Amino acid sequence: PRLHLLPQTHQLKGLMTIIRDANTERGDFVFYSDRVIRLLVEEGLNYLPVVDKEVITPTGLPFQGVAFEGRICGVSIMRAGESMEQGLREVCTSVRIGKVLIQRDERTALPKLYYSKLPKDIADRWVLLLDPMLATGGSAVKCVETLLEAGVKEERILFINLICAPEGALAMLERFKSLQIITAEIDESIDERKFILPGLGDFGDRYFGTED
């Protein structure tokens, strides 16, 4: 119940087919990835709490609606997660965005925090954690731990990603009992190199044009 899949519409399947295709040019990869990212952000906002709010329409009559309760911010896991920042900005104007850099320690093979820059009041906000690919979950788990150390409540963290492997999703949901994941598709597994299968390759390289 804490793993939320985007509605599997023909539109979404078509977009995912384009970005998974190895023959897709970078311009198209960026354009169609951005479309999926925006869908994911919009879906993530559905899980934020709201309060009742009455407004007066131009006809002079009241309308019973809602307003978001509390403030949000984004946190991107560098480098691929930075590709999702623009989609968040397009939906939430003037949103604050923090950054976290986590890489595998060559000596221990464990994820290590190298850099963290977060809004000073992040403990009072709802956090949309951004990373397009969730494989083993090692980096994402480390990032959530960093957020918790900064005072963010676990139930206020929404992890937004395009594709996740079952192993990574399970690792995160078992480790954090209140965290929620919003994803576009769940793939089959990860291979011995920890690549998601069938996946789409290295998202960051394809998005930023740094493929070999």
Side-chain angles (χ1 to χ4, degrees):
R2 292 184 289 120
L3 177 60
H4 309 287
L5 195 62
L6 282 183
Q8 298 297 291
T9 62
H10 292 314
Q11 176 189 198
L12 178 62
K13 185 60 69 174
L15 296 175
M16 297 300 293
T17 300
I18 293 171
I19 66 176
R20 286 181 186 269
D21 189 343
N23 295 316
T24 295
E25 298 286 342
R26 176 173 173 258
D28 286 338
F29 182 85
V30 171
F31 179 81
Y32 292 107
S33 293
D34 285 346
R35 285 188 58 186
V36 178
I37 289 167
R38 182 157 182 164
L39 291 173
L40 285 164
V41 173
E42 296 277 13
E43 180 67 14
L45 296 178
N46 286 329
Y47 297 96
L48 299 179
V50 295
V51 293
D52 293 333
K53 181 176 181 178
E54 180 184 282
V55 296
I56 303 301
T57 74
T59 65
L61 296 175
F63 173 79
Q64 302 297 330
V66 298
F68 286 118
E69 183 182 26
R71 297 171 296 170
I72 70 168
C73 74
V75 173
S76 63
I77 301 179
M78 299 164 66
R79 168 178 71 113
E82 293 175 301
S83 65
M84 305 178 73
E85 293 177 4
Q86 185 57 36
L88 177 58
R89 290 192 184 99
E90 289 174 352
V91 175
C92 304
T93 58
S94 302
V95 64
R96 297 185 181 185
I97 297 180
K99 295 179 184 287
V100 176
L101 175 61
I102 296 169
Q103 296 181 342
R104 180 176 297 182
D105 187 297
E106 294 184 0
R107 183 176 59 85
T108 64
L110 297 173
K112 180 178 179 181
L113 175 66
Y114 282 87
Y115 174 83
S116 174
K117 186 67 173 179
L118 304 172
K120 292 181 179 179
D121 62 349
I122 193 170
D124 300 321
R125 294 177 179 268
W126 289 76
V127 177
L128 301 184
L129 181 57
L130 310 173
D131 198 17
M133 308 294 284
L134 176 61
T136 64
S139 295
V141 166
K142 184 64 176 178
C143 187
V144 173
E145 291 174 348
T146 302
L147 294 175
L148 296 178
E149 291 171 2
V152 180
K153 295 180 176 62
E154 186 179 302
E155 61 271 19
R156 289 190 174 190
I157 301 174
L158 302 173
F159 182 68
I160 312 290
N161 93 302
L162 273 78
I163 298 174
C164 68
E167 295 90 337
L170 188 61
M172 289 198 71
L173 294 172
E174 287 187 340
R175 172 69 176 79
F176 307 108
K177 303 302 183 182
S178 302
L179 176 140
Q180 299 187 73
I181 299 175
I182 295 93
T183 189
E185 290 189 334
I186 302 171
D187 271 14
E188 297 173 5
S189 62
I190 52 177
D191 64 14
E192 65 280 357
R193 298 176 297 170
K194 311 304 181 185
F195 289 171
I196 300 176
L197 301 176
L200 52 70
D202 188 301
F203 187 94
D205 279 346
R206 295 187 70 187
Y207 192 95
F208 293 113
T210 52
E211 294 175 285
D212 295 332

